[in-house]
Amino acid sequence: MRKFIGLSYSKIMALRDFLLMLLVCLLWAAHTVVSKIVVSGMEIPPLFYAAVRYGIVAVLGLPWLLPIPRPRWRILVVGFLMGGGGFALFFVGIKSASPSSAAVVTQLGLPITTLLSVVMLGERIYWKRGLGIALTFVGGLLVMWDPSSALPVSGGLVLILGSAAAGSLAAVMMKQMDGVAPLRFQAWVGFASVVPLAFLTAGLETDQVPRAMEAGWAFVAALLFSALIVSLVAHTIYYDLIGKYPANLIAPLTIMNPLLTVGLGVIVTGDQFDERMALGTGIALCGVMIITLRRNHVMPLAALVWDRLR
C-alpha cells in the first residue's frame, strides 16, 4: 500500500525533520520565556527591547532590501504589523502576563486570520471550522479571565491579543501582494519596524540605556537569541520544512509550541497553571487543531503563515 493516513510514504516526516520541527517549536517557546525575563526580570523597557531587536534584524537584512516589493506602502504596513508593531504590544503585554497564558492567547491569531480572510478575501467558513474558531475563542477568553482583579480580563493578555490581531491583519494583507522571498520579507520587517519603534521608545520610555547597561551580557545574549536564533535560524528551518511537507502535516505539529511554552513557563518563571488555565488551554488547543485540519480555500497555508509570526 502506498497510502497511510492519507499521505504517501514519501510525505511522512522523517525522524530528523520531526526533531527539527520540535527544535523550532522549542526555540519559539524559549523566546516567549526569555522575553518575559527581559522585560520583567531585567526590567528592560519593552519598546526599547523591540526597537533594538528589529534594529539588528534590519542591519542583517540590508543585502536583501532591494528590489523593493510593490506596492511599497503595503510592504511597510505589513512589515510593521508583523514585526515591530505586533511585538511591541507583545513585549508590553508579557511584562504583566505569564508566558503560559501568553502562549495560549497568541493562538487566537489563527481564528482571527481566518475571520479576516472572510471579510477581506471572500473566504467561506463551514460549520467544522466555525466550531474550531468558537472553541479557540472560548478557551482563550477563559485563560484571559482574571477573577482576582477588578477588571474581568488581564490587561497584559489584552495587549497580547492585540499583538495576535496585528499579525493576523498583516498575514491577510500579505496575501494581497505578489510573493516576496522570505529573506527579503524579513529584511523589510526589520526596516519597517526599527524607525517607528525608535520614536516610540524615545517618547514613551526612560532610562533605556542605563537599564540595558545594568543588565549587561545577559541582555546582549537575550537580544542575539531573539534576533539571530529565533528570527533567522528557527525561521529558516521552518521555511525549509514548509517546502518539503504538506501543510496538513506541518500545521498540527505547531501545537507543540504552546505546550512547550506552558511547560517552560511553569518550570522557569513559576507560572501558575491551575484548573482554569488547564481547561482554557485544552479548549483553545482543540479549537486550533480543528482549524488547522480544515482547509482554508483562499489562504490554504493560513496556519503556517500565522505560525511564522512568532
Side-chain angles (χ1 to χ4, degrees), residues 209-223:
V209 175
R211 292 185 183 181
M213 294 292 289
E214 183 179 351
W217 287 106
F219 176 56
V220 174
L223 271 176

Side-chain angles (χ1 to χ4, degrees), residues 87-131:
F87 269 91
L89 290 173
F90 182 85
F91 290 154
V92 174
I94 205 169
K95 188 175 179 68
S96 59
S98 69
S100 300
S101 58
V104 178
V105 172
T106 298
Q107 300 305 304
L108 294 177
L110 180 55
I112 292 173
T113 301
T114 305
L115 292 174
L116 286 175
S117 71
V118 173
V119 176
M120 300 172 64
L121 304 176
E123 172 69 28
R124 293 184 178 181
I125 297 178
Y126 298 98
W127 74 269
K128 289 184 178 179
R129 260 199 301 156
L131 175 62

Side-chain angles (χ1 to χ4, degrees), residues 265-285:
V266 172
I267 294 170
V268 179
T269 55
D271 294 359
Q272 181 182 3
F273 195 75
D274 54 17
E275 292 84 358
R276 176 178 58 84
M277 272 288 296
L279 179 61
T281 300
I283 294 173
L285 294 186

Side-chain angles (χ1 to χ4, degrees), residues 224-288:
L224 294 178
F225 173 75
S226 179
L228 299 181
I229 304 301
V230 176
S231 290
L232 297 181
V233 175
H235 282 78
T236 299
I237 296 172
Y238 187 57
Y239 291 137
D240 180 63
L241 292 174
I242 290 175
K244 291 175 65 175
Y245 296 100
N248 63 350
L249 184 59
I250 296 290
L253 293 178
T254 60
I255 294 293
M256 293 188 293
N257 172 48
L259 294 176
L260 289 168
T261 307
V262 170
L264 287 177
V266 172
I267 294 170
V268 179
T269 55
D271 294 359
Q272 181 182 3
F273 195 75
D274 54 17
E275 292 84 358
R276 176 178 58 84
M277 272 288 296
L279 179 61
T281 300
I283 294 173
L285 294 186
C286 283
V288 168

Side-chain angles (χ1 to χ4, degrees), residues 45 72 84-85 104 132 174 246:
R72 296 175 181 176
V104 178
M174 189 175 178

